[in-house]
Amino acid sequence: MGRWLAVVTMACFLLAAASCGTAAREAGMQAIVGLDGDGPWQRFIIKYHPESAAGRDPGAAREKLEAADYADAADGTTGEGFPQLQWQRRLGVGADLFTTAEPLDRDDAQRLLQALSRDPAVQYVEAETMMQALPAGPQRPR
């Protein structure tokens, strides 16, 4: 019974998460996933809308990321830039993995995510994090 409940709970969670993402896309908003942990962060995932050039072509995504001079000012004016962005590969879900030339602390990583999300071609952007399975049974943390 406990395993069935876990499966049903996970299914509900996934459906809720998918509907939230759909609502955000329909409203024309880009999603920024929050940063977990203390950092530093150097690997990020960005997904471009499928109808954009960068969404259709990994080469266009690479050019867009590596040529970018993202300003850190909220109004988009020029300011202190971020380290060079280096495209790594297109992932199976159609998103792109990229790295920064230098590791970023929490503030710089958040500013980079916000700067990237201002691009209308961006569907979502997040820091790459290691996902871990929780132990099953009574030793599982609550």
Side-chain angles (χ1 to χ4, degrees):
M1 184 66 167
R3 181 171 285 230
W4 175 250
L5 180 61
V7 169
V8 170
T9 302
M10 181 58 80
C12 290
F13 173 75
L14 291 173
L15 286 172
S19 66
C20 288
T22 301
R25 283 189 297 280
E26 289 172 357
M29 299 171 11
Q30 292 83 16
I32 303 175
V33 178
L35 297 171
D36 291 328
D38 296 326
W41 292 272
Q42 194 167 7
R43 296 169 59 93
F44 300 89
I45 297 171
I46 188 167
K47 182 159 187 188
Y48 292 98
H49 289 289
E51 65 275 1
S52 70
R56 290 187 307 269
D57 178 19
R62 178 183 197 146
E63 288 176 16
K64 188 174 184 93
L65 284 167
E66 292 183 352
D69 181 24
Y70 291 100
D72 60 3
D75 61 1
T77 60
T78 57
E80 180 182 338
F82 294 102
Q84 178 68 37
L85 306 182
Q86 301 160 339
W87 183 87
Q88 300 297 312
R89 67 182 174 275
R90 172 73 40 111
L91 303 174
V93 296
D96 296 282
L97 174 68
F98 70 94
T99 59
T100 56
E102 303 168 16
L104 303 177
D105 63 17
R106 175 176 290 283
D107 292 338
D108 287 340
Q110 191 65 45
R111 284 199 320 264
L112 175 63
L113 294 176
Q114 289 170 348
L116 289 166
S117 73
R118 286 194 293 268
D119 182 344
V122 172
Q123 185 172 340
Y124 68 83
V125 60
E126 64 187 0
E128 182 193 51
T129 57
M130 178 67 69
M131 304 213 36
Q132 300 175 354
L134 295 173
Q139 68 270 37
R140 183 174 152 184
R142 298 197 188 263

